[in-house]
Amino acid sequence: MTTRWIATGLCHDLPNGVVMAGRWHDTELAVWRSASGKLAAWKDRCPHRGMRLSHGFVRGETLSCIYHGWVYGTDGGCKHIPAHPSLVPPKAIRAEAFSCVALDGVLWLAPADVSEAPPRLGGLRPVRSLSLTCGLAALMAAESALAGKDILRGSVTFGGHAVEICLLVQPKPDGITLHALCGASADLVAVSRWLEALRFKAEEKVAE
Ligand code: FES
């Protein structure tokens, strides 16, 4: 399945009041949740002087840049400039927004003009994210039970049980990040260990 949506993390990794770095293909993003849980994703570049907004901090329903403290609302508009406290910031000062959706325990990113909905993964449980220094080809070579491109799925047997596995692939400059989900009745610790072993095997494939 091909989609413009890319998973950038699992919902449990982004609690309310927290900002984290995200990525949509080569575009670096700041992804954050306000105190009330509203999600936003913007290009990771402050409209003032380009500081990474993912280095900023969330206060209530706003995100503040760590450099000169400009304050942005969840709509991306600048609300306050500390050096000019009585100034109403012009509407043109705004962070460049991406679409960000939390669905089935996954944080999905896409350009703001995306028309389709994110893929549904109902019935699966989020496990964890992990980064690999190899590409998709090495991962597929390491585990033949998985099929797909951006979303790998398959039934994998370990510990004497067949477990449904779903891996969401996020490209990054030096490899891939996987966001893993599994069948509802699977043992999360066992799946997490299997993922570690898979990473080792896939990275070894590159070295062969
Ligand atoms: S660079 Fe962000 S407030 Fe100046």
Side-chain angles (χ1 to χ4, degrees):
M1 176 171 32
T2 301
T3 174
R4 294 178 82 199
W5 291 94
I6 289 183
T8 199
L10 298 173
C11 293
H12 60 225
D13 293 326
L14 186 67
N16 292 1
V18 169
V19 58
M20 71 179 207
R23 170 177 286 276
W24 187 85
H25 292 288
D26 290 335
T27 306
E28 293 176 315
L29 300 167
V31 185
W32 65 285
R33 264 193 214 272
S34 72
S36 72
K38 267 194 194 155
L39 263 179
W42 304 333
K43 273 202 180 163
D44 200 2
R45 189 178 159 74
C46 178
H48 183 215
R49 293 207 182 151
M51 170 57 78
R52 285 184 183 279
L53 288 166
S54 60
H55 290 178
F57 50 93
V58 179
R59 217 186 266 150
E61 300 303 294
T62 63
L63 177 71
S64 297
C65 177
I66 201 162
Y67 200 176
H68 308 98
W70 287 23
V71 178
Y72 300 91
T74 52
D75 64 352
C78 183
K79 304 283 182 236
H80 181 65
I81 297 176
H84 304 281
S86 54
L87 177 80
V88 176
K91 286 198 179 355
I93 304 178
R94 59 176 43 251
E96 195 175 330
F98 269 58
S99 295
C100 184
V101 170
L103 199 61
D104 300 325
V106 177
L107 294 167
W108 294 98
L109 294 173
D113 66 352
V114 69
S115 53
E116 78 263 21
R120 293 308 308 258
L121 304 167
L124 295 173
R125 266 200 307 172
V127 184
R128 58 174 293 191
S129 302
L130 74 171
S131 287
L132 283 69
T133 56
C134 62
L136 193 54
L139 179 68
M140 302 294 272
E143 179 51 76
S144 58
L146 299 172
K149 187 168 164 263
D150 306 321
I151 301 177
L152 308 179
R153 294 188 81 147
S155 177
V156 177
T157 302
F158 55 88
H161 302 285
V163 177
E164 189 184 355
I165 297 285
C166 174
L167 302 179
L168 309 174
V169 181
Q170 181 183 23
K172 60 184 185 123
D174 58 347
I176 49 177
T177 298
L178 300 176
H179 307 289
L181 298 93
C182 68
S185 60
D187 176 344
L188 292 184
V189 174
V191 175
S192 185
R193 285 197 187 124
W194 174 81
L195 286 164
E196 292 284 354
L198 176 63
R199 167 163 59 188
F200 184 74
K201 222 162 122 188
E203 291 178 347
E204 283 282 289
K205 289 275 173 204
V206 179
E208 280 173 5

